Amino acid sequence: MTPTPQADEDTFAFIIHPIDIKRDVQRKYPFLGRVLSEGQISFFSRFWPPVYLSEVTGITSASTGRTVRGWLISVPYTPPTMISLPPEEVYRKIVAAGLKAEGLGARILGLGAFTSVVGDGGITVAQRLKLPVTTGDSYTITVAVQALREAGEMMGKPLHNATVAVVGATGAIGKTCAEILARDAGELILVGRREDALHAVKERCKGRAKVSISTRINSIYAADLVLTVTSAVHEIIEPQHLKPGAVVCDVARPRDVSKLVAAQRDDVLVIEGGMVEVPGPVDFGFNFGFPPGKAYACMAETIALALEGRYEDYTIGKDISVAQADEIGEIATRHGFKLAGFRSFEKPVSEQHIAEVRERAAINIKHWRPAY
Ligand SMILES: NC(=O)c1ccc[n+]([C@@H]2O[C@H](COP(=O)([O-])OP(=O)(O)OC[C@H]3O[C@@H](n4cnc5c(N)ncnc54)[C@H](OP(=O)(O)O)[C@@H]3O)[C@@H](O)[C@H]2O)c1
């Protein structure tokens, strides 16, 4: 087992969970993942305690040279399970994972993916634990906007000229992304399910962008750039929703963009939001599906706070300020975190691929008509 940390050692723990249930369970339990069906795994996982996955070593601040040690812990629930169970039952499992983190000596806890979506976004969990908690959503916001901006420039769609859509614009991550994008975008379309909540987000969007709202996913066909970040447990963006040359940054886990888009639309660029390069020779000790040395932005926020010695509840709840997203962006950059190259449907995206998408888009746009 992992050695007990010194009193002044910087440490963190981060909670992950299975998304693709058979594939992800096989990463920890190859035999069980192979022989059990998805239904059986989902059923048994309700009674399974949080699982210690690995010790994380080698992370080193680029500015101070300090190192940080951490642990990955899994909550064995999938997103559909977390959405369907009463929040109290999910909180209990997350708190149990937090107690495991405290026992290991972690000084801050990050809530990955859906463990930050459930209920009140970490507030109850933080109240029940001694160690501070963060969802990582502030840095996820910063990195998602930066990725969309950079991918847009590479596709010849700079933000200030672009029509941008934010899907899931009423969510914790979506509404702050919208606020930041409104500062520089040409036009902004806020897409969500609840009109009243969309109006409230529109009020917060002050800047040069002309802002409109929509409750129909079809509205994104007007967009050059799309940032999608819903907590839907099924794909919601299909091939017919996108115009040639569109850039989509999919921050959601599980993803919002259908695999059919990869199969049928070679004239749009879909990138995964939220992959970050970690400073130092990091060894995560567990394959959570990213290339070596790369982490989710929410994981990076937790690590950056430990490197900074900021042991406090940082991002919790569903209201995240632009100032907080800017602050964690500054902290993370100073310690050496940076946007990693782009990936699309789990494969790296090359400059040549982007050039080819641009070429095909330039041809297809001449005869393109919206499907609606
Ligand atoms: N990549 C990363 O590093 C990273 C980090 C953190 C989180 N995430 C992911 O980001 C996503 C959003 O997180 P969040 O904390 O912002 O969640 P949230 O606060 O719960 O917001 C979710 C948003 O999705 C909308 N939504 C839910 N179900 C939908 C459906 N079936 N169709 C259309 N819209 C739907 C909600 O609409 P209503 O307002 O109408 O309910 C809301 O706008 C999750 O997938 C999470 O796993 C990724």
Side-chain angles (χ1 to χ4, degrees):
M1 200 54 164
T2 179
T4 310
Q6 307 289 317
D8 65 343
E9 190 176 344
D10 286 316
T11 55
F12 72 94
F14 192 78
I15 300 180
I16 59 177
H17 62 79
I19 290 181
D20 177 332
I21 190 153
K22 272 189 80 74
R23 183 199 63 189
D24 293 344
V25 167
Q26 274 188 51
R27 287 185 165 137
K28 177 70 182 169
Y29 303 109
F31 179 70
L32 292 179
R34 220 173 33 249
V35 298
L36 295 179
S37 70
E38 287 195 11
Q40 286 168 324
I41 297 173
S42 292
F43 177 77
F44 289 126
S45 71
R46 285 190 59 181
F47 310 100
W48 208 265
V51 178
Y52 171 92
L53 292 177
S54 65
E55 180 175 333
V56 183
T57 56
I59 299 167
T60 311
S61 164
S63 71
T64 63
R66 276 183 80 92
T67 57
V68 68
R69 191 151 64 98
W71 298 274
L72 298 182
I73 297 170
S74 172
V75 160
Y77 286 156
T78 57
T81 306
M82 283 191 253
I83 291 288
S84 58
L85 287 176
E88 185 54 40
E89 196 173 332
V90 185
Y91 291 153
R92 277 204 294 273
K93 193 82 89 180
I94 300 172
V95 169
L99 292 173
K100 209 178 230 323
E102 283 179 1
L104 288 162
R107 297 176 71 189
I108 188 165
L109 176 71
L111 306 181
F114 255 66
T115 61
S116 70
V117 171
V118 170
D120 56 17
I123 294 175
T124 303
V125 171
Q127 281 164 353
R128 292 182 188 176
L129 288 171
K130 283 199 211 86
L131 87 173
V133 169
T134 193
T135 60
D137 286 355
S138 300
Y139 193 47
T140 299
I141 290 164
T142 305
V143 170
V145 171
Q146 188 190 350
L148 186 71
R149 189 189 288 271
E150 288 186 17
E153 273 163 21
M154 291 177 84
M155 283 284 290
K157 303 272 170 62
L159 196 55
H160 63 271
N161 277 341
T163 296
V164 184
V166 177
V167 183
T170 54
I173 297 173
K175 61 190 173 191
T176 311
C177 287
E179 237 182 298
I180 298 173
L181 288 163
R183 301 195 284 209
D184 299 327
E187 285 192 34
L188 186 61
I189 309 167
L190 307 176
V191 185
R193 300 186 294 185
R194 294 173 298 126
E195 211 171 305
D196 53 341
L198 285 168
H199 277 296
V201 179
K202 186 179 172 187
E203 285 301 304
R204 288 171 53 162
C205 289
K206 308 265 181 271
R208 64 186 291 279
K210 183 174 153 246
V211 186
S212 59
I213 64 165
S214 172
T215 52
R216 296 178 327 127
I217 191 71
N218 306 352
S219 329
I220 69 171
Y221 64 61
D224 305 302
L225 310 180
V226 180
L227 193 155
T228 185
V229 61
T230 79
S231 55
V233 291
H234 302 293
E235 299 159 340
I236 56 167
I237 297 183
E238 299 293 339
Q240 72 274 16
H241 293 135
L242 301 166
K243 73 174 176 184
V247 177
V248 186
C249 178
D250 191 349
V251 186
R253 289 294 169 273
R255 61 167 68 94
D256 283 341
V257 181
S258 163
K259 281 195 181 117
L260 290 176
V261 174
Q264 297 176 7
R265 294 298 303 272
D266 57 6
D267 59 354
V268 302
L269 177 65
V270 180
I271 56 163
E272 290 165 17
M275 189 171 75
V276 173
E277 207 172 299
V278 175
V282 55
D283 180 357
F284 285 104
F286 181 75
N287 173 13
F288 51 87
F290 269 10
K294 311 285 193 289
Y296 283 106
C298 47
M299 206 183 262
E301 172 171 317
T302 313
I303 303 169
L305 290 169
L307 284 171
E308 187 75 356
R310 289 279 292 267
Y311 296 114
E312 61 191 70
D313 291 335
Y314 192 77
T315 315
I316 54 169
K318 299 278 178 179
D319 277 308
I320 303 163
S321 69
V322 173
Q324 185 154 358
D326 287 343
E327 181 189 58
I328 192 69
E330 184 278 315
I331 293 172
T333 304
R334 181 155 40 74
H335 288 291
F337 294 86
K338 53 178 175 244
L339 185 65
F342 299 129
R343 273 159 60 96
S344 186
F345 296 96
E346 287 159 25
K347 295 203 188 88
V349 174
S350 65
E351 284 188 23
Q352 171 160 359
H353 172 76
I354 294 177
E356 286 165 4
V357 173
R358 274 185 81 162
E359 256 174 55
R360 282 188 290 265
I363 297 166
N364 293 356
I365 195 81
K366 291 182 189 146
H367 52 80
W368 169 75
R369 294 284 176 278
Y372 299 99

